[in-house]
Amino acid sequence: MSAPYAKLPGWADYGLIPLINLIVAFAVAGIVVLLVGENPLRAAVILVEGAFGGGQNIAYTLFYATNFIFTGLAVAVAFHCGLFNIGGEGQAYVGGLGVVAVALTLDGTFPWWVNFPLAILGSALAGALWALIPAFLQAKRGSHIVITTIMFNFIAASLMVYLLVDVLKPAGSMAPQTRTFLEGAHLPKLNWMLDAIGLPVRSAPLNVSFLLALVAAFVVWLIIWRTRLGYEIRTQGHSPKAARYAGIGEARIIIITMMISGALAGMMALNPIMGDQHRLQLDFVTGAGFVGIAVALMGRSHPAGIVPAAILFGMLYQGGAELAFEMPAISRDMIVIIQGLVILFAGALENLFRPTVQSIFASFTSTTPAVPATPGERA
Amino acid sequence: MAEAAIELIGINKSFGPVRANRDINLEVKRGTIHGIIGENGAGKSTLMSILYGFYQADSGDIRVAGQPVTINTPNDAIAKGIGMVHQHFMLVQNFSVLENVILGMEGEPLLNASIAKARSELERLEREYGLEVDPDAIIEELPVGLQQRVEILKALYRGADILILDEPTGVLTPAEADHLFRILGQLKDEGKTVVLITHKLREIMAITDTVSVMRQGTMVATRTTSETSVEELAELMVGRRVLLHVEKGEAKPGEIKLSVRNLTVRDSRGVTMVKGVSFDVRAGEIVGIAGVAGNGQSELLEAVSGIRRAVSGTVMLEGSPVDVTGAAGPGDLRDRGLAHVPEDRHYMGLILPFEEYENSILGYHDEPQYQKGLFLDIDKARTEAAQQIEKYDIRPPNPRLKTANFSGGNQQKIVLAREMEQDPTVLIVGQPTRGVDVGAIEFIHKRLIAMRDQGKAVLLVSVELDEIRSLSDRILVMFDGRIVGERGPDAGEGELGLLMAGVEAKEAAE
């Protein structure tokens, strides 16, 4: 039996390990850049400058980050209950229906500040209902939530194609999208905020949804760590046996958690639809639901980690686009490879370096009380 | 004198702070059936897992047929002619008997040849040892007795000369057990060596040649079976440990607080573990349930506390019925004044990654006193946790520390403090001092006596006979899902040990 691992201090757990993962991801990405005959250092400079080089770039980075904050929070809430919600993509997509339900009917009647709260409710409700079915199947029938939420992504995609082509498309239009909203369903831009601190923005889609995302992050923190519901979610997530002992209804808590998760994913739809394109387009989610998984893993399911992780991925999206523009040898597909490497190392291989770091810490701090791996109560 | 098939010399093994095996010496003679007996947790399975390569000993030597060997994996053990039949079978449920037998030694990529070879080999083994089983039957369709036979065949097919059986009769009906013993006798006649791990004295007396007794990680004695007696073995097994003396006055039992009638409970596999149990617990008394682990105590506790739904029977709390066969959950019972210190501290009683104060409200977190508007009243939980820490001397005294960082004894005090401070009328306690250091044991015992003296009804379940004897005002002995006897607090260890081993119950039935 191996020696018990020392517990890591918080800064190493939440800072050092993600940093190591990130460095390795970029190192491997650098090798890929070398292979296509470009200078990886110059590529890195272009990437970072593309993402943070000016007001314009920052606004775009934060616009993308807004999407990832919502989907990252959605995945994180489910994680706390021990559930792996892979359906953020579909929930966000269906969330778009909730947005257009409000926008298409009320955009000529009310100003944005009336329609925005209604659209928040609409998108959250649509996302929550889309998550409810897999949640119910998991809670009452034991169908694995990973499988059902993946399947529901496909169902959502097909449903939206049908609705956009056959129901929501205005007559006479060739494009599978709704009509463009009137002024009453356009969210105000936040470019003035960057202007105010001396970072001029020409035109960028950054809008008030970003502030909503930050509020959502705070509310998620409150729910998880300060309410009875969050206590029950965490209890269920850490030990279903303890939850049972504490009288927490397993089915109830799974359904509620998944609906909160779906609602957060659904709210992601506000940002591109009401904030940028002003209409519901085919495939507007563009993978943000899946990026949310990596964001939640990298942010250790804590809002304070999710926001910076989302900004990092926003940087990869925005900086990556600049890189593809500046370095012709690096195509859009190369950018997807780099993003994939970050997801791989920060997300899927999140525990790759943990044992090494832990044993290094253990050798330094042998006096720290170590937690026995399993108390041997064997016969 | 037969030569030694296995010698274990000076084996030590620790899991964290728990010393599962201490300086174990064991010699098993070739061509004999050697029993290893001891209570649950005595270290029997650990010792055999070391011999079979699941664990490596921290120190000590193993010799097989006189040759020193290193056994790092089960494959090493198999190569040395050691086979093991596990308590929980290691069979692929939807494979046939033949497929299971060749699993791991398929040979070529195409199975035809190895299956044909296995089939003829199996037929030989079946003839030789009377191990009839249809080679094409699917495992999940076979009764457990036959599944076990497949495990034995697997070991023999791999050329095992030494067969280890870990609690083989736990899952068998008496008839299946008798058949197993006949097979073991036949194996012995063919020159095989059998090591039988059990906590059932009757089995030892019935079929072994030699018996070794383990207690708390040490090998306390080895006897020739024909020269020992059930009484001697029971005494060796339970041991004359230094009695932890508990000061307590006379119990003043009041009215009945908890009343259980004809309670029947099944475990998650559907096996009936509690078979029509009835008892009462009065205010101001501690009723102890003694028994070897696995005789239904855990399921009884879970049913009475609402965690596991009972099949039939009634439970009355302060004279009014509790719907234990239906809707009543742990929350309802808690509301009605039943507190429960669960046996499984690590996964049920506590959430180890939580901060200490968060665990101090587990189960009570939904009560109005801990709500403040939309939020949990964290300040109140922390203040109360700090008070409990002081009152119960929980160390380190920090309600913000992760629960996993407290020692076993302090973790148990966290659970006890939580349940006792809610002022229950009935307190159910499972294994209160398992894995707890001596100092904490004394403290916990004193608190339990104090609860009794405050007029609480206390139901105590423990596999530590000493604990049951020193705390209980009445002792109920549970064996095979039934209460087989009630004794006063001054009942002798030997007497209780025999009851726990089911000796009297079996004899009464015959």
Side-chain angles (χ1 to χ4, degrees), chain A residues 1-2 4 7-8 13-14 80 218-219 221-249 252-253 368-379, chain B residues 13 15-18 40-46 49 55 307-308 330-331 334 340-342 344 346-351 353-354 357-359 361-363 365-366 371 374-376 378 382 402 404-405 415 418-419 434-435:
Chain A
M1 198 150 135
S2 55
K7 262 187 53 61
L8 286 180
D13 205 9
Y14 294 100
H80 280 290
F218 179 67
V219 170
W221 178 81
L222 275 182
I223 290 176
I224 296 293
W225 277 280
R226 284 294 176 270
T227 67
R228 181 179 134 190
L229 175 67
Y231 182 90
E232 295 188 345
I233 290 173
R234 286 184 294 132
T235 301
Q236 171 73 26
H238 282 303
S239 168
K241 251 175 119 177
R244 219 181 145 71
Y245 163 78
I248 295 166
R252 182 183 140 264
I253 207 77
T368 329
V371 189
T374 39
E377 274 169 4
R378 318 191 104 263
Chain B
K13 178 72 187 170
F15 295 101
V18 181
N40 282 48
K44 310 181 295 270
S45 289
T46 305
S49 296
Y55 301 137
I307 293 170
R308 184 181 290 281
R334 236 173 237 124
H340 175 207
V341 177
D344 183 350
H346 286 121
Y347 294 101
M348 193 177 268
L350 294 169
I351 297 146
F354 273 18
Y357 81 90
E358 291 181 292
N359 272 309
I361 57 169
L362 184 68
H365 62 275
D366 53 353
Q371 315 301 320
L374 284 171
F375 301 107
L376 274 179
I378 298 224
R382 284 186 190 156
K402 253 188 197 171
N405 296 350
V415 181
R418 175 180 76 213
E419 300 302 326
R434 180 187 277 171

Side-chain angles (χ1 to χ4, degrees), chain B residues 163-179:
Chain B
L163 199 60
I164 307 168
L165 293 106
D166 188 1
E167 303 279 1
T169 58
V171 290
L172 300 184
T173 64
E176 285 175 327
D178 287 344
H179 195 120

Side-chain angles (χ1 to χ4, degrees), chain B residues 393-407:
Chain B
D393 191 26
I394 296 165
R395 285 180 227 179
N398 177 4
R400 300 298 308 277
L401 192 67
K402 253 188 197 171
T403 311
N405 296 350
F406 288 86
S407 70

Side-chain angles (χ1 to χ4, degrees), chain A residues 161-240:
Chain A
V161 169
Y162 162 72
L163 288 176
L164 281 169
V165 172
D166 289 333
V167 182
L168 295 170
K169 184 174 68 71
S173 162
M174 298 284 283
Q177 57 193 29
T178 63
R179 70 168 168 82
T180 305
F181 307 150
L182 303 175
E183 275 296 313
H186 293 197
L187 295 181
K189 300 278 192 274
L190 290 179
N191 301 335
W192 56 269
M193 282 175 63
L194 290 166
D195 285 333
I197 53 169
L199 294 164
V201 180
R202 268 172 285 126
S203 74
L206 181 64
N207 61 79
V208 289
S209 309
F210 176 66
L211 301 181
L212 178 70
L214 296 182
V215 171
F218 179 67
V219 170
V220 164
W221 178 81
L222 275 182
I223 290 176
I224 296 293
W225 277 280
R226 284 294 176 270
T227 67
R228 181 179 134 190
L229 175 67
Y231 182 90
E232 295 188 345
I233 290 173
R234 286 184 294 132
T235 301
Q236 171 73 26
H238 282 303
S239 168

Side-chain angles (χ1 to χ4, degrees), chain B residues 93-108:
Chain B
Q93 288 290 314
N94 53 356
F95 272 20
S96 73
V97 171
L98 263 179
E99 286 169 324
N100 266 290
V101 167
I102 61 166
L103 187 68
M105 42 192 311
E106 301 88 354
E108 310 103 80

